[in-house]
Amino acid sequence: MNAPPLLIALRDAGLLRRISAEFAANGRPHHVTADGTQLLGAIAGPTDLVVDPALFPEGTTPDGFVSQLVELSAGGRVLVQAAADGSDEERLIQLGANDLFTASTNPALVVRRLEITPPAEVAEPARATEAESSADDPVEAPDESAEDEHGASAPQPASEAAHAPPIDSLDGFTERVAVRLARARDRERGVALFCFSVRGSVDGGDPRQGFMGVLEGVLEDLDRSEEMTCSGSRIATAPVGEDLYAVLVPDVERVQDAARLAVRFHEAMTSSTGTVTHVGIACSPDDGTIATELIERSREAVLRARREGQNHVEFFSSSMSRWAFERLTLEQSLRDALRNRELVVYYQPRVDVETRAIIGMEALVRWIHPQFGLVSPGQFIPLAEETGLINPIGDWVLRESCRQNAEWRRMGLPRIRVSVNLSPVQFRKTSLHESVVAALRDAELEPDGLELEVTESLLMNDPSETAAVLGRLRGEGIHISIDDFGTGYSSLAYLKRFPINSLKIDRSFVTDVTSNPDDAAIATAIILMGHSLKLSVVAEGVETENQLEFLKVLQCNEVQGYLFSPPVPPDRAQGLLEEQLAQRARDAA
């Protein structure tokens, strides 16, 4: 069967030229335009389209334009240009787009996506029903019908369920997985594919209907608890053997999320239905990069789980399985740690170079596990950032640090400033300013008792927005510091844009500052740069008197490191402040 005519309509002339050239190189005839009105007039019968919604004609909207194109394409394939951040992805798919691409997508992938996107089947003689039309979407569709094309059941009378659309054919499902793999590669992400073994019926009905209902419930629970961001409305499923169903849940990309979903599904099926279930999981790119390979390997994994009978959830790769469940266990333990108050804040003194008096403390979170003892921050902080747990953990550290410093001040101990690190995930929260102000208010701590540390790389991510956020915090009287300075790419011109109080020289330049000329030159340059901007400069990782003397000659303002104290629990930090207070009393006597 000959392919329908292809029309390409894009606002970006360079992108239009590149995509057109790629289709030409692949031998696909087509016409191009940069005018939305001309595009609408050129469509006559089934047509494949590659379009930018921004070309919408006067009198319509981008969404209305896309809907009109989908209808006029008469069953052709419609690829729509989406925003770079994917913010309009869900809406465009719901409007009927078969797949999406962005301005940065490789033109070869645009061609490939059009090739693997199955054409729609238009009902005769009238327009297809909503349920039938939604079945044409190779990846995602609105969850408005009694049962969508993926077999995801919505609450409905029993008489309607008997007439629900059939699940995908294996060919159609394979194409859906292929599209998802192409999109994942473009975004440098993975795809987790499940294979469910469901033996026996649920409530005496169709076993597929039963397990899909349970799966949707599990996804809703995980989404509600914020353990995962997922949706049951875009599930795709197809039979791959007796009692075997391959299932694609597009939102699941991390292997530990795949393990979590599989475990929760098995537990829910066992507790609610008593049905015997096993789950096999294959993940791209490690277990395969093409759809048929990934489907077959998920099937092999579930058959192994069913045959060996030891575990009800199996990954195709045994090493992946170990890693995923270790990761999942650690993540669950971290969630429990937050609830069970296993996290504590340690404090490391910041010392004035001239007087050697403690003038600040850096707050550092530690995890004291009831079985394994002290867990390294290097193990759980990256995990917390990846899972979003860094937000509640960071908020707790902020509140606890403010509370502790306010208590020390009420005890009459030396007035210090406690510095708290902000992760990039925390910094992007729209409620950051409110959280910081609330922490100070609840602790009854003056703003000058708090310093917030951000990394140099965070500054450079979105300089204008970062400067605005920091400006609001600085306006409250809070001190702002750049942590790990020297490891990024900021310049003097950039630093002048930010409302900051101090720079912290990264410890990697301090360790060999007395023996490595390059490190000495970098430390000298940072201190001179900081002073030229009237900023205080703090050196991290000071461990020897020689390092301290070198930094003193350069007029570095503060130092922090094991020469004075490692990070210590609150009671020992309080002891250091009490000792300093006593020394002042002795000096005055």
Side-chain angles (χ1 to χ4, degrees):
M1 177 179 175
N2 293 330
L6 169 61
L7 300 178
I8 306 174
L10 302 173
R11 181 176 58 173
D12 185 327
L15 182 62
L16 179 64
R17 184 170 57 252
R18 293 192 299 274
I19 290 180
S20 175
E22 191 67 35
F23 274 108
N26 281 268
R28 179 72 192 270
H30 58 277
H31 295 281
V32 300
T33 181
D35 185 281
T37 303
Q38 289 182 4
L39 174 66
L40 291 174
I43 301 174
T47 307
D48 286 345
L49 301 170
V50 178
V51 296
D52 180 354
L55 293 178
F56 65 97
E58 185 177 354
T60 184
T61 64
D63 285 5
F65 182 46
V66 171
S67 297
Q68 193 174 2
L69 291 172
V70 170
E71 183 172 358
L72 290 174
S73 68
R77 294 160 289 196
V78 182
L79 271 64
V80 180
Q81 183 175 343
D85 62 1
S87 58
D88 54 358
E89 176 180 330
E90 183 79 16
R91 190 179 76 255
L92 291 173
I93 290 295
Q94 290 183 354
L95 290 170
N98 295 96
D99 203 356
L100 310 174
F101 64 96
T102 67
S104 61
T105 302
N106 188 320
L109 285 178
V110 177
V111 175
R112 175 61 180 152
R113 288 178 186 178
L114 193 69
E115 290 175 349
I116 64 178
T117 300
E121 298 176 2
V122 181
E124 296 292 347
R127 178 178 168 83
T129 65
E130 184 177 1
E132 291 166 339
S133 297
S134 67
D136 302 330
D137 174 13
V139 181
E140 304 168 355
D143 189 23
E144 297 176 357
S145 57
E147 174 177 306
D148 66 15
E149 79 282 9
H150 309 308
S153 304
Q156 55 188 297
S159 59
E160 291 183 25
H163 301 289
I167 60 175
D168 296 328
S169 68
L170 183 56
D171 286 345
F173 180 80
T174 302
E175 289 169 337
R176 296 175 192 276
V177 176
V179 170
R180 180 55 58 175
L181 283 168
R183 294 173 67 182
R185 283 194 295 271
D186 188 33
R187 300 177 185 183
E188 297 183 349
R189 297 179 181 175
V191 170
L193 191 68
F194 302 85
C195 189
F196 293 166
S197 168
V198 183
R199 290 180 169 176
S201 63
V202 180
D203 296 331
D206 178 359
R208 179 185 62 86
Q209 296 282 351
F211 93 72
M212 289 297 291
V214 172
L215 180 59
E216 285 184 311
V218 170
L219 287 168
E220 289 174 5
D221 289 343
L222 290 170
D223 196 26
R224 192 180 305 111
S225 65
E226 298 184 347
E227 293 181 64
M228 287 169 52
T229 300
C230 44
S231 169
S233 64
R234 299 178 295 176
I235 302 171
T237 181
V240 289
E242 185 177 357
D243 304 325
L244 298 178
Y245 299 91
V247 176
L248 173 68
V249 183
D251 302 288
V252 181
E253 296 168 338
R254 303 184 314 152
V255 291
Q256 60 265 41
D257 283 341
R260 175 185 291 103
L261 175 57
V263 169
R264 295 289 182 85
F265 169 77
H266 170 71
E267 291 173 348
M269 287 291 285
T270 302
S271 62
S272 63
T273 70
T275 305
V276 179
T277 60
H278 294 83
V279 186
I281 308 170
C283 300
S284 72
D286 293 344
D287 297 335
T289 56
I290 59 176
T292 52
E293 187 175 42
L294 209 60
I295 293 170
E296 181 55 31
R297 288 185 169 175
S298 69
R299 186 174 181 273
E300 289 179 30
V302 77
L303 290 176
R304 186 168 69 243
R306 200 163 75 177
R307 182 174 61 251
E308 296 178 357
Q310 295 177 344
N311 299 309
H312 290 282
V313 178
E314 285 284 349
F315 280 78
F316 175 76
S317 165
S318 57
S319 59
M320 179 74 75
S321 182
R322 285 193 300 273
W323 187 89
F325 283 105
E326 286 173 1
R327 191 83 165 173
L328 179 59
T329 300
L330 183 61
E331 182 179 331
Q332 187 56 53
S333 296
L334 186 54
R335 292 181 187 277
D336 293 339
L338 194 56
R339 287 192 293 266
N340 300 335
R341 300 183 179 181
E342 296 169 12
L343 300 179
V344 296
V345 178
Y346 276 36
Y347 298 90
Q348 185 172 35
R350 284 169 51 170
V351 175
D352 182 271
V353 169
E354 292 292 336
T355 65
R356 297 200 175 200
I358 298 173
I359 57 176
M361 295 272 189
E362 181 177 1
L364 300 162
V365 65
R366 296 291 186 263
W367 178 10
I368 303 179
H369 193 282
Q371 288 180 286
F372 308 122
L374 196 63
V375 180
S376 165
Q379 282 185 277
F380 72 88
I381 292 298
L383 178 64
E385 291 179 337
E386 181 183 334
T387 59
L389 283 172
I390 195 66
N391 282 326
I393 291 174
D395 285 345
W396 175 80
V397 171
L398 175 65
R399 292 193 305 271
E400 178 61 20
S401 301
C402 289
R403 184 204 63 77
Q404 182 64 79
N405 196 18
E407 182 180 327
W408 285 336
R409 287 190 172 193
R410 284 192 290 270
M411 294 172 62
L413 295 176
R415 291 175 65 88
I416 63 167
R417 184 176 297 118
V418 170
S419 57
V420 177
N421 296 278
L422 291 180
S423 78
V425 178
Q426 282 179 280
F427 194 83
R428 286 192 291 268
K429 284 199 316 178
T430 55
S431 60
L432 174 64
H433 179 266
E434 290 75 13
S435 297
V436 173
V437 171
L440 289 169
R441 182 185 63 245
D442 295 345
E444 299 181 351
L445 177 67
E446 297 90 338
D448 71 347
L450 176 64
E451 180 172 298
L452 298 176
E453 297 187 14
V454 296
T455 62
E456 186 180 5
S457 57
L458 187 151
L459 289 182
M460 305 305 295
N461 187 39
D462 187 349
S464 297
E465 178 63 23
T466 301
V469 173
L470 294 179
R472 291 188 67 197
L473 294 168
R474 176 78 181 272
E476 297 287 348
I478 298 163
H479 281 236
I480 306 296
S481 175
I482 302 180
D483 195 16
D484 300 335
F485 192 79
T487 59
Y489 302 96
S490 19
S491 64
L492 184 63
Y494 263 105
L495 281 180
K496 290 168 63 177
R497 299 176 57 181
F498 299 108
I500 56 179
N501 300 94
S502 61
L503 304 177
K504 296 186 75 175
I505 306 174
D506 186 72
R507 66 182 63 249
S508 62
F509 303 119
V510 174
T511 301
D512 297 321
V513 73
T514 59
S515 58
N516 186 315
D518 292 337
D519 288 347
I522 292 172
T524 302
I526 293 173
I527 293 171
L528 291 174
M529 180 188 294
H531 288 166
S532 71
L533 295 174
K534 297 181 172 55
L535 303 176
S536 175
V537 182
V538 185
E540 298 180 292
V542 176
E543 298 181 354
T544 69
E545 288 287 346
N546 286 340
Q547 292 169 341
L548 178 62
E549 287 303 314
F550 185 91
L551 293 166
K552 186 175 181 179
V553 170
L554 295 178
Q555 297 184 327
C556 183
N557 304 97
E558 302 174 41
V559 292
Q560 176 181 343
Y562 277 62
L563 176 62
F564 297 96
S565 173
V568 294
D571 58 339
R572 289 180 59 189
Q574 180 175 317
L576 293 174
L577 293 174
E578 290 172 341
E579 182 180 331
Q580 181 166 301
L581 186 63
Q583 184 60 49
R584 286 181 182 176
R586 288 193 293 269
D587 293 342

